[in-house]
Amino acid sequence: MTDVFAGLLVSDREAAVRWWSAALGADPLMYPNDTEAVWQVGEHAYVYVDAALDGRAPGQGEVTLFLDEGTDLDERVTAMSGRGIAVSLRETYDNGVRKVTFTDPDGNRLGLGAGPA
């Protein structure tokens, strides 16, 4: 497998589009229907939000994206903060890998990971 299409349940598509667009620094690539919005986050990688709950609870999802080598995690976090996206958690693992987590209004989490500083 080489492609990923990761979905997160949300209570309000338009509110989610505002938050995720600010977090990802881009508008959605497409709106395939009345309940979904899709962002391309890599060559064969997509994240989408879906407000068609069908009895399921929004939130509780998590997507972690690892930044390309040479991309500065701290600069990315600062830019997101400037767009109103607050850090929920910062972690550094024993191997030096760093992860910064953000939480959307429904409780879904976006993690950004990078190699050792």
Side-chain angles (χ1 to χ4, degrees):
M1 289 182 264
T2 59
D3 297 356
V4 65
F5 199 72
L8 300 160
L9 296 175
V10 297
S11 60
D12 179 308
R13 183 182 77 165
E14 296 314 312
V17 165
R18 285 189 299 276
W19 192 91
W20 284 89
S21 292
L24 297 172
D27 291 330
L29 174 68
M30 65 179 153
Y31 295 91
N33 55 49
D34 291 341
T35 64
E36 296 176 344
V38 180
W39 291 263
Q40 185 168 9
V41 295
E43 186 175 350
H44 296 282
Y46 303 85
V47 171
Y48 72 98
V49 296
D50 187 355
L53 300 177
D54 301 322
R56 301 170 293 172
Q60 303 175 34
E62 183 167 356
V63 173
T64 299
L65 307 172
F66 276 82
L67 300 177
D68 293 329
E69 190 172 327
T71 301
D72 189 297
L73 177 62
D74 295 325
E75 285 180 13
R76 186 67 164 263
V77 170
T78 298
M80 291 171 71
S81 178
R83 295 189 298 268
I85 305 300
V87 172
S88 301
L89 179 66
R90 290 180 185 266
E91 301 172 275
T92 301
Y93 299 104
D94 291 341
N95 62 0
V97 169
R98 298 172 298 141
K99 180 180 175 187
V100 180
T101 302
F102 309 85
T103 305
D104 79 4
D106 283 305
N108 294 303
R109 297 182 351 160
L110 168 63
L112 292 182

